[in-house]
């Protein structure tokens, strides 16, 4: 493996469809109109010296190194800022240009510490390279003049360092922060020789608005901004392209290694989901892979009160298999089941559901998507015919109106959030429907046109009201509806939404949002041009989650916003492979590609391929498994890569269910909360240690590549295979690519997908088959996957979770940028410096009424349970609403949430819990009890000592 080098063309590619032919250094070149001379030269293989230009950023023209001569024009224009013109004749290498460039370079070098030999960027520094390229041999001014060598370094960020002495003030970092990331955290402070880059108001990076995305570090041509790992380990020497294992954006990275040590993750410019950008998690928060708490040897124990015993892999596997066999012999075939992981690869997920269906002999398989996006699957497949989003991320570049509902892209899907912000800065309109004032509502150079801060639990009423305006004010795209949808169903729906009870005036009473705001937002969505809807768990995690997804689908159909770029319905998926785990047959009623287990043709096909009879009745969902465990009929569970005790609702019920089981097997990187109730722990592998694929929120299937040997000895797919064989059902794959071949052979949407194909093209969006050999960026063009689009009535049914005198406030939950879900990975990195604990956001009015001050401990009490955490008094939340994140197990947010769930899919109603808030002295009894259990469990495993 060598270091992958990506060409820097100096300026971004032009999107023009017209081309221009010109002559550069005697050779003709044809490029799209609008291309810079610099890029045109690069495309024909001529590199013009440059420092301030890079193709991730718009050209700036400050360094004056890229000068060229153009026939018929005076002077020496900068090639990065001068666009090509027809028949232009350009010279890039003349003696005049050489002299000028040398002169510019001399000035830079005279104010630069000449420590190249000991500099961490040695060999990978653009200043050094360009000095060589311009042939600089001496600096006439000497090095004794004024310089910045005494400038203080800023080491406040845990991941990168800033050494102003090396800065050439090329502005690339400032522009990266503005153009790519959209945070505007950097400025150039001072003038002329005094100018230096400054975060915020001349603050250290950690005290500024910087969100540590690293775009500035990547853009810096010198060692001024540099990863601390490079300072410590040295320059990487080989790399492989892989995919981030955090969120559903699916950013592609070059994993850059030195020996078998990972030095840094560099976002890959050719990555179709991220185009060379990343967030703090993907770029920096991978240290958990080497964390000392990672468990590397299998462990077993007869009872959960026993100490863990380290055992060999053979013993762990054979013990697990014998326990599952014993349980099935005693309690029946259906008394065991398993849970697949949205953090694992498609291949691993496919194998776990295969293990359960073929080796356990039942359909008791479910996945963590149950608790996040199961309503998306149900809602979109019913209305459109496909359980997935309709667009690719790049489609947002053609949106005129962006409606974000129940999603917080800048925190939960940061790279797409930056992409969206770029489009918003370029003029797209924005509607945000969210109880909380998320960052998008107001951030540098962005102001939402409408923010509808609705009361949690009123999404359906709000969407019905938007539809009411569209129908009653004659804003329906009738041509689209007549051609593409079932007209009778539309007519029923139109009658329904037109009823006065769905009017903005009525819905204002329920949602707390003024009717005029609702009307104006509806008009903008329907008439503002290409309108796209993006939504997240604030839509799905409700008792009417599926109804809300359907209401969104209705709205897009009624306005004709489906089937082309710039429009669509886009679920922002939480985990890296939540789309994939659903695609791979993780639900108890579906095989891969969402085919029902009762479908004889599909089942027969799998029976032939798997050579085993299969069950035709759907199996148990996670909540049913837990109920059955409490009832004594479900006794064995295999959980791969999920912490159900922390991530699922009603923690007390979940722990009772787990405690009732006779064999709980957890396969993970660390002891998690679920392992308190486990009898077998099988160490898992990280995304750096195996090959496979993830499918992101755009249905994009991308490779992950093994860059180091699994520290635990095996990839997760190998562990499932060993367990299956021990259970008497042999699986025989030599490499994950063979599993993908089986997926492709058995799943119509994946027919053309193979590791070889992905290696060649980078990534594809399913469906990828004979009809769409290169994949499908935009769905439902010309026709819906199900034929006619289906309108369904969406009656608003208030949740049973009601506020009242005892519980007068509504708690809703969400995520923060630096942490990820239950925090198992991010809490084991320096990301914790940004979010050490979950806090409760409360409006100043509600806080004052309860005598709560900022940073006070408060008790959050619901009908289900109580927990304590610190308060953050802020008007980000409306009066009557409180908000928290759920990244820290000590907070136990799910002790408070109820067991209400979506009517169609059982997706829990995390987003609405009636609570009371009062001041408190510290942790609740339950938290104390839990802390003890947690410590005891960790001590048993010896990890407390190791961590200390
Ligand atoms: S790390 Fe990202 S947010 Fe921070 S200054 Fe650099 S570009 Fe801006
Ligand atoms: S910190 Fe780096 S990118 Fe920023 S101005 Fe200085 S040299 Fe250029
Ligand atoms: S946006 Fe998501 S996929 Fe991209 S780097 Fe961040 S966590 Fe990873
Ligand atoms: S690269 Fe063109 S002016 Fe700097």
């Amino acid at each position: 493996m060598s270091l992958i080098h990506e060409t820097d063309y100096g300026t971004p590619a032009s999107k023009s469809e017209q081309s221009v032919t010109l002559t550069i250094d005697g050779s003709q070149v044809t490029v799209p109109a609008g291309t810079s001379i610099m890029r045109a030269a690069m495309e024909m293989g001529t590199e013009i010296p440059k420092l301030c230009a890079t193709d991730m950023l718009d050209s700036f023209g400050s360094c004056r190194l890229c000068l060229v001569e153009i026939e018929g024009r005076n002077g020496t224009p900068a090639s990065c800022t001068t666009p090509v013109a027809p028949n232009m004749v350009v010279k890039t290498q003349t003696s005049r240009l050489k002299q000028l460039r040398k002169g510019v370079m001399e000035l830079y070098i005279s104010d630069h510490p000449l420590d190249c030999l000991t500099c961490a960027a040695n060999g990978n520094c653009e200043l050094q390279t360009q000095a060589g390229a311009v042939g600089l041999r001496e600096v006439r001014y000497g090095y004794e003049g004024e310089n910045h060598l005494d400038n203080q370094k800023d080491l406040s960020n845990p991941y990168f360092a800033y050494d102003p002495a090396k800065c050439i003030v090329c502005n690339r970092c400032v522009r990266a922060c503005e153009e790519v990331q959209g945070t505007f955290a950097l400025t150039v402070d001072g003038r002329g020789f005094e100018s230096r880059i400054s975060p915020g108001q001349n603050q250290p990076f950690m005290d500024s608005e910087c969100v540590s995305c690293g775009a500035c570090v990547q853009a810096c041509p010198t060692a001024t901004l540099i990863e601390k790992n490079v300072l410590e380990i040295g320059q990487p020497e080989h790399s492989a392209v892989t995919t981030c294992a955090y969120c559903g954006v699916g950013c592609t990275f070059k994993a850059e290694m030195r020996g078998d040590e990972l030095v840094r993750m560099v976002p890959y410019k050719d990555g179709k989901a991220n185009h060379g950008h990343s967030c703090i998690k993907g770029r920096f928060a991978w240290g958990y892979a080497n964390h000392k708490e990672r468990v590397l040897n299998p462990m077993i124990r007869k009872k959960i009160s026993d100490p863990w015993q380290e055992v060999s892999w053979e013993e762990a596997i054979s013990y697990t298999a014998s326990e599952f066999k014993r349980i099935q012999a005693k309690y029946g075939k259906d008394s065991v089941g398993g849970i697949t992981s949205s953090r694992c690869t498609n291949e691993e997920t496919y194998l776990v559901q295969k293990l359960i269906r073929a080796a356990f002999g039942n359909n008791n398989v479910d996945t963590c998507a149950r608790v996040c996006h199961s309503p998306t699957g149900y809602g979109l497949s019913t209305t459109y015919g496909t359980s997935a989003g309709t667009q690719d991320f790049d489609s947002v570049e053609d949106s005129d109106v962006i409606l974000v509902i129940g999603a917080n892209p800048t925190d939960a899907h940061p790279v797409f959030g930056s992409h969206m912000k770029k489009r918003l800065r370029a003029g797209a309109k924005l509607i945000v429907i969210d109880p909380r004032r998320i960052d998008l509502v107001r951030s540098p150079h962005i102001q939402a046109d409408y923010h509808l801060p609705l009361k949690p639990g009123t999404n359906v009423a709000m969407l019905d009201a938007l539809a009411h305006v569209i129908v009653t004010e004659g804003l329906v795209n009738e041509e689209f509806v007549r051609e593409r949808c079932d007209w009778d169903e539309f007519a029923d729906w139109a009658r329904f939404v037109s009823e006065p009870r769905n009017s903005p005036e009525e819905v204002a009473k329920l949602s707390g949002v003024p009717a005029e705001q609702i009307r104006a937002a509806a008009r903008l969505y329907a008439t503002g041009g290409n309108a796209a809807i993006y939504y997240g768990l604030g839509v799905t995690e409700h008792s009417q989650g599926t109804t809300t997804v359907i209401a969104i689908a209705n709205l897009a159909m009624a306005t004709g916003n489906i089937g082309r770029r710039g429009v669509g319905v886009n679920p922002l998926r939480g985990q890296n492979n939540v789309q994939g785990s659903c695609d791979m047959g993780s639900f108890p009623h579906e095989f891969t590609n969402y085919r029902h287990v009762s479908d004889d043709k599909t089942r027969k096909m799998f029976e032939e391929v798997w050579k085993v009879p299969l069950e035709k009745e759907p199996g148990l969902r996670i909540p049913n498994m837990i109920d059955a465990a409490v009832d004594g009929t479900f006794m064995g569970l295999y959980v791969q890569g999920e912490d159900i005790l922390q991530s699922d609702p009603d923690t007390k019920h979940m722990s009772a269910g787990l405690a009732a089981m006779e064999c709980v097997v957890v396969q993970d990187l660390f002891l998690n909360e679920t392992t308190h109730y486990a009898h077998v722990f099988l160490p898992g592998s990280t995304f750096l240690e195996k090959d496979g694929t993830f499918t992101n929120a755009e249905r994009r299937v991308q490779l992950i590549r093994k860059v180091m040997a699994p520290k635990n000895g095996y990839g997760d797919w190998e562990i499932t295979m060993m367990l299956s064989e021990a259970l008497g059902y042999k699986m025989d794959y030599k490499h994950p690519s063979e599993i993908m071949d089986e997926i492709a052979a058995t799943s119509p949407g994946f027919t053309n997908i193979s590791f070889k194909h992905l290696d060649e093209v980078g990534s594809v969006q399913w469906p990828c088959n004979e009809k769409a050999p290169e994949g499908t960026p935009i769905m439902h063009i010309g026709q819906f996957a199900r034929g006619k689009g289906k309108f369904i009535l969406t009656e608003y049914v208030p949740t049973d979770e009601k506020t009242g005198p005892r519980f007068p406030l509504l708690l809703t939950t969400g995520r923060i940028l630096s942490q990820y879900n239950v925090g198992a990975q991010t809490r084991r990195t320096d990301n914790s410096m940004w979010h050490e604990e979950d806090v409760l956001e409360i409006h100043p009015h509600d806080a004052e009424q309860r005598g709560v001050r900022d940073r006070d401990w408060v008790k959050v009490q619901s009908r289900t349970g109580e927990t304590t955490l610190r308060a953050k008094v802020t008007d980000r939340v409306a009066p009557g609403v409180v908000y928290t994140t759920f990244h820290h197990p000590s907070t136990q947010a799910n002790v408070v949430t109820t067991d209400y769930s979506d009517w169609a899919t059982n997706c829990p109603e995390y987003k609405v819990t009636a609570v009371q808030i009062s001041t408190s002295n510290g942790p609740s009894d339950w938290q104390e009890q839990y802390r003890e259990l947690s410590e005891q469990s960790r001590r048993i495993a010896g990890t407390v000592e190791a961590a200390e």
Side-chain angles (χ1 to χ4, degrees):
M1 246 192 320
S2 55
L3 201 61
I4 297 163
H5 173 74
E6 288 183 277
T7 305
D8 186 345
Y9 290 87
T11 60
S14 161
K15 292 192 176 144
S16 173
E17 282 168 11
Q18 283 164 2
S19 41
V20 167
T21 300
L22 69 160
T23 304
I24 300 178
D25 294 338
S27 302
Q28 279 207 335
V29 59
T30 302
V31 291
T35 303
S36 68
I37 293 175
M38 173 179 278
R39 187 170 180 117
M42 270 308 276
E43 293 200 356
M44 57 176 265
T46 298
E47 194 162 345
I48 300 174
K50 62 181 189 309
L51 274 177
C52 69
T54 178
D55 58 11
M56 287 284 290
L57 304 171
D58 291 341
S59 54
F60 189 60
S62 71
C63 76
R64 310 296 296 165
L65 203 64
C66 67
L67 311 177
V68 290
E69 290 177 11
I70 303 174
E71 239 177 59
R73 289 198 199 176
N74 291 334
T76 50
S79 63
C80 63
T81 49
T82 312
V84 295
N87 305 319
M88 190 180 238
V89 177
V90 179
K91 287 200 179 117
T92 71
Q93 291 290 346
T94 65
S95 48
R96 175 164 69 138
L97 293 172
K98 283 181 196 163
Q99 274 319 107
L100 285 170
R101 287 178 192 149
K102 268 192 199 172
V104 171
M105 189 51 95
E106 262 185 288
L107 286 172
Y108 278 120
I109 297 294
S110 66
D111 175 24
H112 199 78
L114 290 178
D115 59 354
C116 286
L117 282 183
T118 50
C119 176
N122 189 16
N124 188 15
C125 168
E126 290 182 45
L127 187 67
Q128 195 182 46
T129 311
Q130 298 301 342
V134 302
L136 188 70
R137 296 288 172 267
E138 58 170 336
V139 175
R140 285 168 293 166
Y141 320 113
Y143 308 105
E144 288 77 35
E146 275 195 274
N147 59 42
H148 297 87
L149 293 181
D150 57 355
N151 284 190
Q152 280 285 314
K153 290 182 188 172
D154 176 358
L155 302 175
S156 61
N157 186 291
Y159 298 120
F160 60 84
Y162 172 49
D163 179 359
K166 295 188 168 166
C167 179
I168 57 170
V169 203
C170 65
N171 243 291
R172 276 162 63 160
C173 53
V174 179
R175 289 179 287 141
C177 193
E178 293 176 4
E179 292 174 31
V180 180
Q181 167 56 25
T183 292
F184 294 78
L186 300 177
T187 50
V188 182
D189 196 45
R191 288 179 159 266
F193 183 78
E194 293 308 320
S195 31
R196 284 299 91 169
I197 298 308
S198 150
Q201 308 295 317
N202 232 327
Q203 296 158 299
F205 270 88
M206 276 306 272
D207 297 347
S208 72
E209 306 85 42
C210 167
V211 293
S212 200
C213 71
C216 55
V217 180
Q218 189 176 340
C220 183
T222 64
T224 313
L225 284 164
I226 193 163
E227 295 90 349
K228 286 185 173 172
N229 256 5
V230 175
L231 295 175
E232 279 159 28
I233 305 172
Q235 284 290 329
E237 52 194 10
H238 59 99
S239 56
V241 175
T242 193
T243 307
C244 179
Y246 278 115
C247 87
V249 176
C251 296
T252 315
F253 285 87
K254 290 180 287 183
E256 295 195 341
M257 313 282 298
R258 189 171 179 91
D260 61 357
E261 199 170 4
L262 182 56
V263 178
R264 63 182 174 189
M265 297 286 274
V266 180
Y268 192 45
K269 284 196 291 187
D270 209 24
K272 304 288 186 298
N274 58 322
H275 304 294
H277 189 37
S278 75
C279 78
I280 179 173
K281 295 190 284 283
R283 192 191 294 260
F284 295 124
W286 38 265
Y288 65 86
N290 302 319
H291 195 277
K292 49 197 161 195
E293 283 180 2
R294 191 169 157 197
V295 182
L296 298 175
N297 296 312
M299 302 188 295
I300 60 175
R301 56 183 177 181
K302 293 264 182 312
K303 295 200 298 295
I304 58 169
S305 50
D306 288 349
W308 282 109
Q309 267 189 314
E310 271 190 12
V311 292
S312 66
W313 273 104
E314 293 71 30
E315 193 177 343
I317 295 291
S318 95
Y319 177 77
T320 309
S322 69
E323 277 297 279
F324 277 110
K325 282 187 198 159
R326 178 187 67 74
I327 290 170
Q328 284 191 303
K330 184 169 169 193
Y331 298 96
K333 193 176 69 169
D334 295 333
S335 59
V336 297
I339 296 173
T340 72
S341 172
S342 296
R343 282 155 53 195
C344 286
T345 64
N346 285 319
E347 295 70 24
E348 287 164 344
T349 308
Y350 177 85
L351 281 204
V352 172
Q353 60 92 34
K354 180 172 175 177
L355 168 91
I356 289 156
R357 299 189 205 281
F360 290 5
N362 62 43
N363 285 319
N364 291 338
V365 55
D366 208 356
T367 180
C368 44
R370 167 75 50 220
V371 297
C372 66
H373 266 288
S374 46
T376 289
Y378 191 99
L380 294 186
S381 65
T382 316
T383 48
Y384 296 169
T386 306
S387 297
T390 63
Q391 311 295 118
D392 60 358
F393 289 139
D394 286 355
S395 159
V396 78
E397 288 163 18
D398 289 309
S399 297
D400 302 305
V401 179
I402 296 172
L403 191 162
V404 177
I405 172 167
N408 185 3
T410 52
D411 276 270
H413 302 87
V415 165
F416 180 64
S418 290
H419 201 160
M420 184 186 269
K421 284 202 288 188
K422 191 167 187 172
R423 177 64 201 129
L424 291 168
R425 288 196 303 276
K429 305 281 186 201
L430 174 65
I431 303 165
V432 173
I433 304 180
D434 200 290
R436 188 165 163 266
R437 196 180 69 235
I438 57 171
D439 282 347
L440 264 189
V441 172
R442 204 181 307 139
S443 58
H445 304 280
I446 290 170
Q447 171 78 52
D449 295 84
Y450 301 103
H451 173 213
L452 313 183
L454 76 182
K455 201 170 125 191
T458 59
N459 282 337
V460 172
M462 177 60 67
L463 289 159
D464 285 346
L466 295 174
H468 177 96
V469 177
I470 288 165
V471 171
T472 57
E473 296 191 6
L475 307 178
V476 168
N477 183 338
E478 195 177 320
E479 190 188 336
F480 180 92
V481 177
R482 283 199 183 276
E483 191 189 325
R484 301 284 308 273
C485 308
D486 184 305
W487 181 260
D488 292 340
E489 285 167 354
F490 164 76
D492 284 348
W493 173 80
R495 258 192 306 277
F496 159 74
V497 294
S498 304
E499 290 174 22
R501 66 200 167 99
N502 290 321
S503 69
E505 289 66 26
E506 287 305 310
V507 170
K509 295 175 198 160
L510 303 168
S511 65
V513 178
E516 251 334 290
Q517 291 278 306
I518 303 175
R519 284 194 180 274
R523 289 172 195 142
L524 175 60
Y525 175 74
T527 64
N530 282 341
I533 301 178
Y534 293 88
Y535 72 87
L537 304 184
V539 156
T540 54
E541 289 177 344
H542 286 272
S543 59
Q544 279 202 292
T546 297
T547 319
T548 315
V549 174
I550 292 171
I552 287 172
N554 289 341
L555 216 54
M557 285 191 287
T559 51
N561 278 310
I562 281 288
R564 61 181 190 280
R565 280 175 65 83
V567 299
V569 173
N570 304 280
L572 294 173
R573 304 290 192 144
Q575 308 218 53
N576 53 328
N577 200 34
V578 70
Q579 179 70 55
S581 78
C582 298
D583 300 341
M584 289 301 112
S586 290
F587 289 126
H589 63 293
E590 282 169 344
F591 291 117
T592 58
N593 253 182
Y594 307 97
R595 289 162 297 167
H596 205 277
V597 290
S598 65
D599 174 41
D600 291 339
K601 195 164 148 246
T602 307
R603 205 177 56 257
K604 198 157 171 302
M605 183 269 298
F606 274 111
E607 285 177 340
E608 273 166 25
V609 176
W610 293 352
K611 300 189 175 40
V612 67
L614 297 172
E615 265 295 324
K616 67 189 293 186
E617 291 299 320
L620 299 175
R621 298 171 172 183
I622 297 173
N624 309 130
M625 293 180 199
I626 300 308
D627 291 346
V630 171
D631 294 345
T633 56
F634 187 87
M635 289 290 134
L637 183 66
Y638 172 46
V639 190
Q640 187 182 75
E642 194 186 343
D643 189 358
I644 49 173
L645 185 58
Q646 201 187 163
S647 63
D648 284 47
D650 199 348
T651 310
K652 284 184 176 172
H653 182 59
M654 178 60 78
S655 45
L658 288 168
M661 292 186 208
E662 293 182 4
C663 184
V664 174
V665 181
V666 170
Q667 185 170 321
D668 217 315
L669 303 176
F670 303 99
L671 289 181
N672 58 29
E673 305 312 301
T674 308
T675 47
H676 301 324
Y677 297 92
H679 306 83
V680 179
F681 185 85
L682 303 175
S685 54
T686 71
F687 76 113
L688 298 165
E689 299 166 341
K690 58 197 178 188
D691 290 303
T693 58
F694 292 149
T695 306
N696 77 354
E698 319 161 276
R699 296 169 276 106
R700 187 181 298 285
V701 185
Q702 312 191 95
L703 285 170
I704 62 162
R705 291 183 172 88
K706 183 171 167 176
V707 293
M708 55 180 74
K711 288 192 184 338
N712 58 328
Y714 295 101
D716 293 279
W717 59 281
E718 293 171 293
I719 298 165
T720 307
M721 270 183 18
M722 291 192 288
L723 180 57
S724 190
E725 184 165 358
L727 283 164
Y729 181 77
K730 188 166 166 55
M731 297 182 187
D732 193 13
Y733 306 98
K734 306 277 177 302
H735 188 265
S737 62
E738 295 174 10
I739 307 172
M740 179 49 88
D741 291 343
E742 183 174 311
I743 295 166
T746 53
S747 316
F750 288 76
T751 323
N752 272 22
I753 302 182
S754 66
F755 279 35
K756 185 166 171 288
H757 187 55
L758 292 173
D759 251 334
E760 285 160 8
V761 300
S763 64
V764 289
Q765 288 171 269
W766 66 254
C768 179
N769 47 29
E770 26 331 304
K771 281 196 213 142
E774 296 310 318
T776 313
I778 311 283
M779 301 276 309
H780 315 300
I781 297 175
Q783 192 185 10
F784 284 98
R786 69 182 299 281
K788 291 280 187 194
K790 186 174 180 62
F791 278 90
I792 300 173
L793 305 198
T794 51
E795 187 74 58
Y796 168 60
V797 181
T799 168
D800 288 337
E801 178 67 359
K802 305 250 189 297
T803 51
R806 271 183 69 211
F807 302 108
L809 303 173
L810 283 176
L811 168 74
T812 189
T813 57
R815 300 185 197 186
I816 200 151
L817 170 69
S818 55
Q819 295 290 336
Y820 178 69
N821 280 8
V822 297
Q825 293 140 292
T826 42
R827 279 187 288 107
R828 291 182 171 95
T829 69
D830 285 331
N831 276 30
S832 291
M833 287 173 68
W834 281 267
H835 185 76
E836 289 169 338
E837 58 182 344
D838 294 319
V839 294
L840 186 88
E841 290 187 6
I842 181 167
H843 189 273
H845 173 75
D846 294 325
E848 196 188 338
Q849 276 192 335
R850 290 163 178 79
V852 171
R853 290 160 312 171
D854 205 46
R855 299 291 297 156
D856 275 356
W857 280 100
V858 288
K859 181 160 78 176
V860 184
Q861 213 175 356
S862 75
R863 291 181 183 90
T864 316
E866 65 180 50
T867 186
T868 55
L869 66 176
R870 286 187 197 275
K872 180 174 178 182
V873 179
T874 169
D875 65 358
R876 268 189 161 221
V877 285
V881 177
V882 288
Y883 166 89
T884 188
T885 46
F886 48 83
H887 301 304
H888 292 269
S890 56
T891 312
Q892 294 283 316
N894 284 340
V895 170
V896 180
T897 51
T898 67
D899 60 356
Y900 293 125
S901 64
D902 176 47
W903 60 270
T905 64
N906 271 155
C907 182
E909 187 166 53
Y910 286 140
K911 301 293 178 184
V912 194
T913 309
V915 294
Q916 178 58 293
I917 308 294
S918 53
T919 50
S920 160
N921 296 330
S924 67
D925 292 349
W926 168 252
Q927 279 169 300
E928 283 295 349
Q929 215 180 343
Y930 207 78
R931 194 178 53 78
E932 272 166 34
L933 183 62
S934 185
E935 264 175 24
Q936 186 191 355
S937 184
R938 281 153 56 106
R939 208 169 282 121
I940 288 170
T943 54
V944 166
E945 285 75 9
E948 282 161 4

